[in-house]
């Protein structure tokens, strides 16, 4: 089925390519409008964070920004309030097509998709945009379509290379399959020339320049978190956990969690009270004050929430539930942690220095949607209930799948700032400060091309959350092993890392605190002004770079340093001819 769909897409793209070369070059009726951009996402706009961040940055620089893609998930809130943002949603295929045989429905769906994209770029955007920014992958048919629109309307194309489309197809069909070779040819042909190429890693930049001889300006734009991915204030944590307790998945874990009483305490946070007169000595800070005449006789003030000392460790991973992320690796690591926790907590194994080690309960939260979700979560449920072959019911580990709204996800990742620190000028938080929402992030991304980096780690780092990440070729551009996280290659190694980091949890000392300190040291706001744009300079060597050292600035800082000079290069009258 997938093979036939790809054949149809390639055939249509070839038709566009041949037809455009047979026609004489058109004379545009209208010149492209300066300070305007169309951003094409052949997918759910709300699930394309990097492209939403691009749109936000263009709009903040006074570009009329047309975001073209499919509806679905809710976009980030800032896009709904900025004045220069325009959403142009593509039409989904009619539902009756799902009842037709594939050989009939596939060509119709493909044709309708192409018509919908061309209609948005050629008709629904009234004036030709100065730039068309396209996400790759998917490569087919988007690269051919934006090439055609750029040729017809005179717009300059910017390709944002997230990964290589043919490498994703090779995971299913094998690298030597005919369709993989055709897909690679298509991607190289239509992606070779553009006004500018952006890359998510240095490795991808070097590979594509060497292998495909890319033409146009070239710059590496590493992913960075936007401003709303930040450390979390304690009241935000408490409010989030109160909301999440309404979720049946979490509420069903009451026997696994420590006891709590809403709204005064949750499994992870608690509030205390203060009064003008002495409170009962028997008061438990993890429970609300009893309704007695003694407590009712004086006003009670609920103090800000803090993390509970008896909470389970909260681990989080985000996955697309696809073959390039082997979720079975995490399941095996959790099984090994469960076995170790039973031994250590039952016998209070020493740490070699006269202290008794204790491992906490672990709640593993998995976010995301994808085709393999049900398969893996069934396996997890069997392990947790003890229905697996020769398996006892898990006592120390729970793994749940949880869907979060866009505004809740960074709160779950974040950990709290001190009450007197500002987000604009955050000070280094002392290592003995308590942790916040999530305690550790896990990344299973392996990269089909070994040239891209996972956005989920970027989000975690933006919230001050250390990460254990599966090793692959260019991961060291993001994760510095032993500095901001740890790198693993097997389930056993991941289990050992989790055990090491959570020993004597939730003590504020140790490796987790050191990793957070490292992240915060590297995340101080940049004071560097916008780069000066010289329109007479056209060589790639004069485009500002990010530098070889590891620094953790914001998306805005990074975009203004890398992309802004590219798009403002012609602002003073210089026009760079772009020929496909």
């Amino acid at each position: 089925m997938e093979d036939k769909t790809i054949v149809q897409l390639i055939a249509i793209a070839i038709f566009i390519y041949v037809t455009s070369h047979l026609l004489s070059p058109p004379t545009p009726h209208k010149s492209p409008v300066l300070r305007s951009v169309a951003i094409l996402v052949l997918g759910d706009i709300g699930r394309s964070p990097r492209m939403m961040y691009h749109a936000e940055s263009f709009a903040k620089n006074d570009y009329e920004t047309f975001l073209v893609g499919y509806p679905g998930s809710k976009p980030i809130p800032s896009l709904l309030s900025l004045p220069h943002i325009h959403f142009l949603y593509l039409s989904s295929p009619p539902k009756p097509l799902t009842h037709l045989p594939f050989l009939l429905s596939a060509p119709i769906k493909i044709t309708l998709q192409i018509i919908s994209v061309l209609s948005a770029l050629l008709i629904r955007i009234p004036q030709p945009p100065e730039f068309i920014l396209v996400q790759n992958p998917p490569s087919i048919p988007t690269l051919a379509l934006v090439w055609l629109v750029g040729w017809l309307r005179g717009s300059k194309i910017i390709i944002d290379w997230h990964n290589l489309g043919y490498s994703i197809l090779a995971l299913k069909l094998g690298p030597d399959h005919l369709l993989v070779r055709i897909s690679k040819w298509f991607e190289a042909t239509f992606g070779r020339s553009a006004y500018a190429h952006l890359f998510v890693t240095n490795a991808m930049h070097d590979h594509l320049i060497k292998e495909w001889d890319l033409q146009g300006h070239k710059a590496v734009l590493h992913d960075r978190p936007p401003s709303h991915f930040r450390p979390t204030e304690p009241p935000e944590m408490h409010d989030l956990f109160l909301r999440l307790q309404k979720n049946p998945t979490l509420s069903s874990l009451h026997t696994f969690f420590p006891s709590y009483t809403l709204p005064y305490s949750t499994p992870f946070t608690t509030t205390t009270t203060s009064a003008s007169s002495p409170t009962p000595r028997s008061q438990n800070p993890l429970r609300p004050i009893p309704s007695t005449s003694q407590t009712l006789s004086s006003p009670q003030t609920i103090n800000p929430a803090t993390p509970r000392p008896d909470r389970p460790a909260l681990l989080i991973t985000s996955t697309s539930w696809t073959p390039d992320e082997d979720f079975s690796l995490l399941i095996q690591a959790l099984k090994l942690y469960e076995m170790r926790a039973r031994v250590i907590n039952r016998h209070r194994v020493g740490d070699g220095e006269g202290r008794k080690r204790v491992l906490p309960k672990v709640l593993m939260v998995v976010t995301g949607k994808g085709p393999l979700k049900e398969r893996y979560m069934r396996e997890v449920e069997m392990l947790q209930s003890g229905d697996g072959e020769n398996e006892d019911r898990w006592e120390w580990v729970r793994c749940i799948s949880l869907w979060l709204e866009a505004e809740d996800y960074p709160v779950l990742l974040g950990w709290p700032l001190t009450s007197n620190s500002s987000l604009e000028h955050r000070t280094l938080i002392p290592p003995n400060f308590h942790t916040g929402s999530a305690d550790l992030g896990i990344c299973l991304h392996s990269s089909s091309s070994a040239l891209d980096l996972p956005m989920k780690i970027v989000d975690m780092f933006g919230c001050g959350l250390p990460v254990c990440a599966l090793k692959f070729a260019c991961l060291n551009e993001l994760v510095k092993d032993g500095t901001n996280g740890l790198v693993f290659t097997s389930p056993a190694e991941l289990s050992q890392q989790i055990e090491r980091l959570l020993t004597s949890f939730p003590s504020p000392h140790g490796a987790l605190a050191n990793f957070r300190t490292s992240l915060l040291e590297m995340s101080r706001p940049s004071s560097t002004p916008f780069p000066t744009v010289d329109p007479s300079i056209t060589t790639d060597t004069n485009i500002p770079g990010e530098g070889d050292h590891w620094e953790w600035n914001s998306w805005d800082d990074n975009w203004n340093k890398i992309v802004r000079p590219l798009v403002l290069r012609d602002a003073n009258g210089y026009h760079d001819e772009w020929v496909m």
Side-chain angles (χ1 to χ4, degrees), residues 312-323:
L314 179 57
L315 277 59
I316 187 166
T317 187
S318 177
T319 179
S320 57
W321 301 99
T322 52

Side-chain angles (χ1 to χ4, degrees), residues 201-251:
T201 63
N202 294 317
M204 184 171 291
H205 169 276
D206 297 343
H207 174 82
L208 290 181
I209 290 176
K210 177 182 178 182
E211 297 295 326
W212 291 356
D213 188 28
L214 297 186
Q215 302 299 309
H217 301 300
K218 296 170 279 289
V220 176
L221 180 70
H222 284 113
D223 283 317
R224 291 293 184 264
S227 57
H228 66 282
F229 277 83
R230 55 170 177 78
T232 302
E233 297 283 0
E236 294 178 283
M237 296 164 45
H238 189 70
D239 290 344
L240 173 63
F241 290 130
L242 287 177
R243 293 196 301 273
L244 291 180
Q245 283 306 304
K246 300 176 183 178
N247 187 302
T249 302
L250 272 177
S251 60

